[in-house]
Amino acid sequence: MRRVLATLGLILATSSAVSTVSAAEVKLGAWGRGFFVPFFSDGDSDAQTFDAASWGANYPRIGVSIIGSSDNAGFQIDLNGDNGIGAHDQQKIWIKPFNMLTVTIGRAYDDVLRGNGAFGDFNWLRISGTGEDFTFHRVSTHDGAYAPVVTPYDQTKPAPNTFGSIIALDPMKELHAYVAFKSLTTSMKTEDAFKNIQVGLGYNIAEKAHIRAQYVGVTTPGTGEGDEADASVINAALKLTLTESFYADLGTFIPTDKAVSAYTAKIAAYINYKTGAIALHGLGNFVAGTKNVKGDDATGMELGLGFDYAIGDNGLGFVSSFRYQNDAFQGGAGVEDGRIGGLVGIQKGFSNGKIGIGFEFSTTNMAFNGGEPAPALEKATIAVPVIVEYSF
């Protein structure tokens, strides 16, 4: 027994010494984006002028991150000065007891497998709002991306500010797996925690085919017995990297309770092609089992195209995108002709930022909304945004 204890003591002492000499640093990172919009109009109300962020707040995102890391431990604090000093995105601690295992607690993300389709207007003033988590949803301890649509639960209560834990496993460079738990800032029943679990994995075959699958549990407790709302989904995706310049990502979302969900299945496809000074983007989003504006069964559809062009090697570039949504894609809340919108802009990039000016339009309102009051849904909107962005 003494030999065992002595051996354990030697291991702990050695581990402590190794941890002490391992590379460690605390650094600052920063990213922010804002818009000055000198002209915004829905063609009916008085034209407006305001500051904004891409997602519609009436102030820019001015973010900074404090990040500490070593071989086996780290933390991250994301702050913003958008409208006073506040916390956003991630507030987390992570520990790596073994090379293949990472345990994270707090308000945290794991974006290793995330599938985005962000381009054009999504990075300016958002017209349709489609971009992030397009084919495969990020792992998160707090995002409520799949909130129930039907209401047997109590909507009068504020949405909880959720924290939790992510346990990630990387036994080989091709494989990434995880289990994520969400909980309230105080506590929640263990039974409810397991109903809101997120579990999945991804495997990368020769850097050519990236297969991902996950279960995203989203169950909202009700006000009475048996009236909880289950908006959980099964999400799978396949990313094919055909050449260094071209990849395609295909994802699907299947709700586990179609009585609660506003759809029966989603299929999302995104393609990205870059050659020289040209970058092309394309997306298709198809939603089965939804309703059109008349309340009839229909299939929702969104199509998007993007074209970017670098004008020389001085950081000057042209950016554009086009969006179409039919009325069924907007959940029956749209007008009969759906939504058509677009962006054309020119921007100048620098080592740590950029500035640009563009013109955007939509035949209805936009997912971005800087108007007060909000433009009526059937009113066409136009905007002239001036973008400024930094990254350190």
Side-chain angles (χ1 to χ4, degrees), residues 18 27 65 121 202 237 259 278 324 392:
V18 170
K27 61 182 180 180
S65 297
D121 61 273
I278 296 175
Y324 166 75
F392 292 91

PDB file of all heavy atoms in Angstrom, residues 18 27 65 121 202 237 259 278 324 392:
ATOM      1  N   VAL A  18       5.094  19.502 -14.375  1.00  0.00           N
ATOM      2  CA  VAL A  18       4.870  19.685 -15.803  1.00  0.00           C
ATOM      3  C   VAL A  18       3.905  20.831 -16.050  1.00  0.00           C
ATOM      4  O   VAL A  18       4.099  21.673 -16.933  1.00  0.00           O
ATOM      5  CB  VAL A  18       4.337  18.371 -16.428  1.00  0.00           C
ATOM      6  CG1 VAL A  18       3.869  18.635 -17.856  1.00  0.00           C
ATOM      7  CG2 VAL A  18       5.416  17.303 -16.416  1.00  0.00           C
ATOM      8  N   LYS A  27      -4.265  36.670 -22.871  1.00  0.00           N
ATOM      9  CA  LYS A  27      -4.208  37.657 -23.939  1.00  0.00           C
ATOM     10  C   LYS A  27      -5.588  38.276 -24.168  1.00  0.00           C
ATOM     11  O   LYS A  27      -6.604  37.757 -23.708  1.00  0.00           O
ATOM     12  CB  LYS A  27      -3.704  37.020 -25.233  1.00  0.00           C
ATOM     13  CG  LYS A  27      -4.581  35.893 -25.750  1.00  0.00           C
ATOM     14  CD  LYS A  27      -3.989  35.271 -27.009  1.00  0.00           C
ATOM     15  CE  LYS A  27      -4.879  34.145 -27.534  1.00  0.00           C
ATOM     16  NZ  LYS A  27      -4.319  33.531 -28.770  1.00  0.00           N
ATOM     17  N   SER A  65     -12.392  40.186 -25.794  1.00  0.00           N
ATOM     18  CA  SER A  65     -12.318  38.907 -25.099  1.00  0.00           C
ATOM     19  C   SER A  65     -11.020  38.816 -24.308  1.00  0.00           C
ATOM     20  O   SER A  65      -9.950  39.185 -24.799  1.00  0.00           O
ATOM     21  CB  SER A  65     -12.382  37.749 -26.098  1.00  0.00           C
ATOM     22  OG  SER A  65     -13.603  37.737 -26.786  1.00  0.00           O
ATOM     23  N   ASP A 121     -25.374  39.757 -47.419  1.00  0.00           N
ATOM     24  CA  ASP A 121     -26.163  40.583 -46.505  1.00  0.00           C
ATOM     25  C   ASP A 121     -26.178  40.051 -45.080  1.00  0.00           C
ATOM     26  O   ASP A 121     -26.440  40.802 -44.139  1.00  0.00           O
ATOM     27  CB  ASP A 121     -27.605  40.718 -47.021  1.00  0.00           C
ATOM     28  CG  ASP A 121     -28.307  39.379 -47.118  1.00  0.00           C
ATOM     29  OD1 ASP A 121     -28.173  38.711 -48.161  1.00  0.00           O
ATOM     30  OD2 ASP A 121     -28.981  38.979 -46.167  1.00  0.00           O
ATOM     31  N   GLY A 202     -18.540  13.920 -35.023  1.00  0.00           N
ATOM     32  CA  GLY A 202     -18.189  14.147 -36.421  1.00  0.00           C
ATOM     33  C   GLY A 202     -16.928  13.388 -36.769  1.00  0.00           C
ATOM     34  O   GLY A 202     -16.019  13.262 -35.934  1.00  0.00           O
ATOM     35  N   ALA A 237     -25.278  16.093 -41.084  1.00  0.00           N
ATOM     36  CA  ALA A 237     -24.716  16.885 -42.178  1.00  0.00           C
ATOM     37  C   ALA A 237     -23.517  16.170 -42.796  1.00  0.00           C
ATOM     38  O   ALA A 237     -22.840  15.372 -42.141  1.00  0.00           O
ATOM     39  CB  ALA A 237     -24.298  18.274 -41.684  1.00  0.00           C
ATOM     40  N   ALA A 259     -45.842  17.385 -33.669  1.00  0.00           N
ATOM     41  CA  ALA A 259     -47.022  18.105 -33.199  1.00  0.00           C
ATOM     42  C   ALA A 259     -46.646  19.474 -32.644  1.00  0.00           C
ATOM     43  O   ALA A 259     -47.460  20.400 -32.655  1.00  0.00           O
ATOM     44  CB  ALA A 259     -47.742  17.282 -32.131  1.00  0.00           C
ATOM     45  N   ILE A 278     -12.281  35.944 -57.235  1.00  0.00           N
ATOM     46  CA  ILE A 278     -13.722  35.709 -57.214  1.00  0.00           C
ATOM     47  C   ILE A 278     -14.097  34.723 -56.118  1.00  0.00           C
ATOM     48  O   ILE A 278     -13.422  33.714 -55.906  1.00  0.00           O
ATOM     49  CB  ILE A 278     -14.205  35.181 -58.579  1.00  0.00           C
ATOM     50  CG1 ILE A 278     -13.990  36.233 -59.656  1.00  0.00           C
ATOM     51  CG2 ILE A 278     -15.663  34.763 -58.518  1.00  0.00           C
ATOM     52  CD1 ILE A 278     -14.317  35.750 -61.052  1.00  0.00           C
ATOM     53  N   TYR A 324     -34.215  34.933 -51.972  1.00  0.00           N
ATOM     54  CA  TYR A 324     -35.634  34.726 -52.263  1.00  0.00           C
ATOM     55  C   TYR A 324     -36.206  33.745 -51.246  1.00  0.00           C
ATOM     56  O   TYR A 324     -35.622  32.689 -50.981  1.00  0.00           O
ATOM     57  CB  TYR A 324     -35.850  34.166 -53.664  1.00  0.00           C
ATOM     58  CG  TYR A 324     -37.270  33.641 -53.850  1.00  0.00           C
ATOM     59  CD1 TYR A 324     -38.333  34.530 -54.007  1.00  0.00           C
ATOM     60  CD2 TYR A 324     -37.541  32.276 -53.820  1.00  0.00           C
ATOM     61  CE1 TYR A 324     -39.637  34.055 -54.132  1.00  0.00           C
ATOM     62  CE2 TYR A 324     -38.840  31.799 -53.957  1.00  0.00           C
ATOM     63  CZ  TYR A 324     -39.879  32.693 -54.104  1.00  0.00           C
ATOM     64  OH  TYR A 324     -41.166  32.229 -54.217  1.00  0.00           O
ATOM     65  N   PHE A 392      -8.898  42.136 -33.754  1.00  0.00           N
ATOM     66  CA  PHE A 392      -7.554  42.135 -33.185  1.00  0.00           C
ATOM     67  C   PHE A 392      -7.292  40.794 -32.501  1.00  0.00           C
ATOM     68  O   PHE A 392      -8.216  40.121 -32.078  1.00  0.00           O
ATOM     69  CB  PHE A 392      -7.385  43.267 -32.163  1.00  0.00           C
ATOM     70  CG  PHE A 392      -7.409  44.633 -32.789  1.00  0.00           C
ATOM     71  CD1 PHE A 392      -8.598  45.330 -32.928  1.00  0.00           C
ATOM     72  CD2 PHE A 392      -6.230  45.222 -33.236  1.00  0.00           C
ATOM     73  CE1 PHE A 392      -8.620  46.597 -33.478  1.00  0.00           C
ATOM     74  CE2 PHE A 392      -6.245  46.487 -33.803  1.00  0.00           C
ATOM     75  CZ  PHE A 392      -7.444  47.178 -33.927  1.00  0.00           C
TER      76      PHE A 392
END
